[in-house]
Amino acid sequence: MAARTKIGRNDPCPCGSMKKYKKCCLRRERLDVPERIAPPAGPPPELIRQLQERDAAVREWTRRYGHVRPCISADFQGHKFLAAGSRLYWSNDGKPWIFVPDFLLAYIPGVFGKEWGDAELAKPEPERHPLVHWRVEAIRYMNAQPRQPDGSYVAPPSGPLAAYMAFAFNLFAIEDNSRLDDFLLERLKNKDQFQGARHEVFAEATCLRAGFSIEREDQGDRTRRHVEFTAKHKSTGQLISVEAKSRHRPGVLGRPGIPQPHEKLSIRFGGLLNDAIAKNPAHPLVVFVDTNLPFRAAERVLGRDLGPSEAHTVVHTATAKGWPTRGTIRPERGRVPVWKHPESISAITAPEFRKHNDPTRP
């Protein structure tokens, strides 16, 4: 057996390239040996820390506000800039936005316009738009609270403050998902149409925050009746038809008349549900029902001592289409609404018992 001749580094390369072995095949052979290749360096610890902080911030945002994208904001020359959909908002001089409520308080005037706001403020208080009333009362309430060392306020929200902030964030969520159109905005500005339009905003924002995409119905199509919109869950692909129904009451949310005592308020809303079912939607039907009840009237349905979580609970869920039960009306605590064809309903919610009707309860 012939022994392999050792090739010196300075010998001619046996490949015939006329180069020295050390400058030809020896170099390539060394590169082909895995153990001689330096392992790639890991990401810098600072980069790992920043990525972890960002992921934690996104998780916290989702926990608090749902599956809508976090605010896109930046600081520049003493101003806070924040994007909502295709529009850019920024803070005024001397009024920086430190917390989300700071932005929300300024957001509504930016959307509705200064001219509309000035016209409403010029009216006597009883004739003002409900949204303007909430804003004025919210500012009065905050200004009456003791300031913290950093200049902020800490206090349980009053009814008008909670109503204003909830509406402002819901509207922001819709605009940030490019869903805010002029037709909806004009209805919101109209005092007579505000209650119904506001509840539609609540329903749509709730679905967005729950991880759905929204497709509005063509309300101009007169060949059939339409639900408010169709929602598609981004993870599962589940389609649902969504209808928003709101109970009008005298003297509440811009309606004419004098508010009735809570013990005389009707807690029946079967007619609203029957109307929603009659639209014969293409997908499982989810009905958002704004009962428009103050706490004391709502307690006739759900029991005494309602807490903040119960005030926004699901009142009834039919399971005929496989949706899990989230809660039921208890007959011993009040009259149960009666409606036709309950098997057609996948879920019914009765949100916001308190925010605009009972400012005395935080």
Side-chain angles (χ1 to χ4, degrees):
M1 178 180 294
R4 180 180 179 183
T5 303
K6 183 178 180 179
I7 304 173
R9 288 170 49 84
N10 293 316
D11 291 341
C13 187
C15 72
S17 65
M18 304 303 291
K19 296 181 181 179
K20 291 184 179 182
Y21 178 57
K22 66 181 180 181
K23 294 186 178 182
C24 189
C25 289
L26 178 59
R27 180 181 298 174
R28 290 197 294 268
E29 288 171 1
R30 287 178 172 175
L31 293 175
D32 289 339
V33 179
E35 60 268 20
R36 293 182 179 177
I37 300 176
E46 178 64 18
L47 176 60
I48 295 177
R49 183 187 65 79
Q50 292 177 0
L51 292 174
Q52 290 174 339
E53 289 179 352
R54 188 188 67 176
D55 290 344
V58 171
R59 289 195 298 270
E60 176 62 16
W61 173 273
T62 303
R63 185 188 69 82
R64 297 183 64 182
Y65 302 109
H67 296 276
V68 292
R69 69 178 184 179
C71 294
I72 300 175
S73 63
D75 296 302
F76 181 70
Q77 294 186 352
H79 297 273
K80 173 77 76 173
F81 290 81
L82 193 145
S86 60
R87 289 202 282 186
L88 188 66
Y89 298 89
W90 58 90
S91 60
N92 295 324
D93 291 331
K95 295 182 179 179
W97 298 336
I98 301 175
F99 305 105
V100 172
D102 296 332
F103 162 70
L104 295 178
L105 196 63
Y107 172 67
I108 295 300
V111 175
F112 280 57
K114 185 177 185 302
E115 183 178 350
W116 179 86
D118 290 344
E120 287 295 327
L121 286 172
K123 298 177 182 178
E125 283 199 27
E127 299 177 12
R128 290 176 181 172
H129 191 284
L131 195 56
V132 175
H133 170 73
W134 292 345
R135 177 180 170 81
V136 170
E137 291 300 318
I139 293 175
R140 287 175 179 169
Y141 175 77
M142 289 191 298
N143 289 339
Q145 308 306 314
R147 284 180 177 268
Q148 301 298 305
D150 61 358
S152 63
Y153 302 92
V154 177
S158 64
L161 176 59
Y164 184 89
M165 292 299 178
F167 172 77
F169 185 82
N170 287 339
L171 196 65
F172 164 75
I174 291 175
E175 182 178 16
D176 201 37
N177 284 268
S178 302
R179 301 300 309 174
L180 183 58
D181 55 48
D182 292 339
F183 178 71
L184 175 60
L185 187 57
E186 288 304 314
R187 291 178 60 214
L188 290 169
K189 290 180 179 181
N190 189 316
K191 180 180 177 180
D192 295 332
Q193 300 181 31
F194 174 70
Q195 180 179 337
R198 165 184 172 269
H199 189 51
E200 292 171 23
V201 166
F202 168 81
E204 186 167 336
T206 299
C207 290
L208 289 171
R209 294 166 70 177
F212 286 83
S213 59
I214 304 298
E215 185 63 37
R216 291 206 181 110
E217 296 277 325
D218 180 10
Q219 301 295 338
D221 177 14
R222 303 298 181 182
T223 60
R224 64 183 181 88
R225 299 185 66 192
H226 298 269
V227 294
E228 308 299 345
F229 56 85
T230 298
K232 181 178 181 179
H233 197 265
K234 295 177 182 178
S235 298
T236 66
Q238 172 69 54
L239 292 170
I240 58 175
S241 296
V242 178
E243 181 71 358
K245 292 294 184 182
S246 186
R247 181 68 180 267
H248 295 287
R249 301 191 186 279
V252 178
L253 286 175
R255 306 302 298 179
I258 300 175
Q260 296 175 301
H262 72 90
E263 65 273 8
K264 293 185 177 181
L265 291 174
S266 171
I267 60 175
R268 294 183 178 273
F269 46 87
L272 298 177
L273 302 180
N274 289 334
D275 184 68
I277 295 169
K279 294 187 176 182
N280 192 26
H283 309 290
L285 176 62
V286 176
V287 186
F288 287 79
V289 180
D290 182 5
T291 59
N292 205 4
L293 292 170
F295 255 119
R296 285 172 293 180
E299 287 167 349
R300 292 160 54 196
V301 179
L302 295 178
R304 297 291 177 183
D305 300 323
L306 289 175
S309 61
E310 289 182 293
H312 301 81
T313 191
V314 174
V315 172
H316 179 88
T317 301
T319 58
K321 295 187 177 180
W323 288 64
T325 298
R326 294 284 304 281
T328 58
I329 294 176
R330 289 164 284 190
E332 70 275 14
R333 301 248 180 131
R335 294 171 293 174
V336 179
V338 178
W339 53 85
K340 302 175 182 177
H341 311 298
E343 69 279 0
S344 301
I345 301 173
S346 295
I348 304 167
T349 72
E352 301 184 321
F353 286 121
R354 65 178 169 100
K355 290 183 177 176
H356 53 78
N357 270 329
D358 199 346
T360 63
R361 294 187 64 168

